[in-house]
Amino acid sequence: KHLDRGRGKSVPYLLGVDSRPEALPQTAYALDTVVEKLKNIQQTTLTNGRVTLILESCFSGRSNDGDLIKNRSAPAFGPAVTLSKQSVAPSERFVMMAAAQGEQFAIWDNDWKRSVFTDALVSGLYGEADATQFAGNGDGAVTLAELRQFVTNRISRRLRKVNPSERQDPDIFGGRDEM
């Protein structure tokens, strides 16, 4: 999530490899536009289906001398925007998941060679979120509430091992409870 403050408001952007901080409206994609287009597809093409938008960091911020910031997603251009139900207004059939909130970074796990969010999300979707040992109900279906709880707890536990000074709270909202 990167921001353009030049228009008097904070606008979250998704950046491509050729995006330029001084020209975000021309070289990046506004998150509001992405959400609007996905909702339109859901309403016109997937009328009985659901859309899930997953925002994971790109781990850019590299230079010829290596990473500018080690084991983190790239920093935003200025203070970050906290995604919220109000800012993207997910509907009953639109779920949004973000790796971290506001001023937080998405943390990379060098041992596992992936982000802690991706690890938790994939493990949860593969069924661990429904397991009774992780506070699921064990009914064979992963609900959004189970996934949210599992991902949050898994990230917290893993960060205590790989980077205890960091905090990363995923943002998962929208949609009905079933996945």
Side-chain angles (χ1 to χ4, degrees), residues 68-88:
L68 299 176
I69 298 176
K70 300 284 187 199
N71 303 323
R72 297 179 181 192
S73 61
F77 303 122
V81 167
T82 300
L83 300 175
S84 68
K85 293 177 179 132
Q86 292 77 30
S87 66
V88 295

Side-chain angles (χ1 to χ4, degrees), residues 13-151:
Y13 280 88
L14 304 176
L15 276 59
V17 295
D18 57 352
S19 295
R20 297 188 331 266
E22 73 279 4
L24 289 179
Q26 295 80 29
T27 63
Y29 212 67
L31 180 59
D32 293 344
T33 302
V34 173
V35 170
E36 179 184 316
K37 290 187 180 295
L38 288 173
K39 283 184 177 181
N40 185 46
I41 290 169
Q42 188 278 315
Q43 292 168 357
T44 60
T45 307
L46 305 170
T47 54
N48 295 320
R50 249 193 321 238
V51 171
T52 300
L53 175 60
I54 301 172
L55 300 171
E56 172 63 289
S57 63
C58 60
F59 296 97
S60 61
R62 305 210 191 287
S63 74
N64 290 338
D65 295 326
D67 291 345
L68 299 176
I69 298 176
K70 300 284 187 199
N71 303 323
R72 297 179 181 192
S73 61
F77 303 122
V81 167
T82 300
L83 300 175
S84 68
K85 293 177 179 132
Q86 292 77 30
S87 66
V88 295
S91 68
E92 184 176 286
R93 294 190 323 259
F94 188 92
V95 175
M96 187 162 175
M97 302 178 189
Q101 297 184 11
E103 300 287 332
Q104 297 175 341
F105 290 95
I107 306 300
W108 181 259
D109 187 324
N110 282 322
D111 294 337
W112 291 354
K113 307 285 188 251
R114 60 184 163 263
S115 77
V116 293
F117 174 75
T118 296
D119 175 72
L121 181 62
V122 170
S123 296
L125 289 171
Y126 267 96
E128 286 185 50
D130 183 53
T132 55
Q133 72 192 63
F134 298 117
N137 63 10
D139 68 353
V142 175
T143 66
L144 191 58
E146 288 172 330
L147 185 63
R148 183 183 302 112
Q149 185 68 39
F150 177 83
V151 168

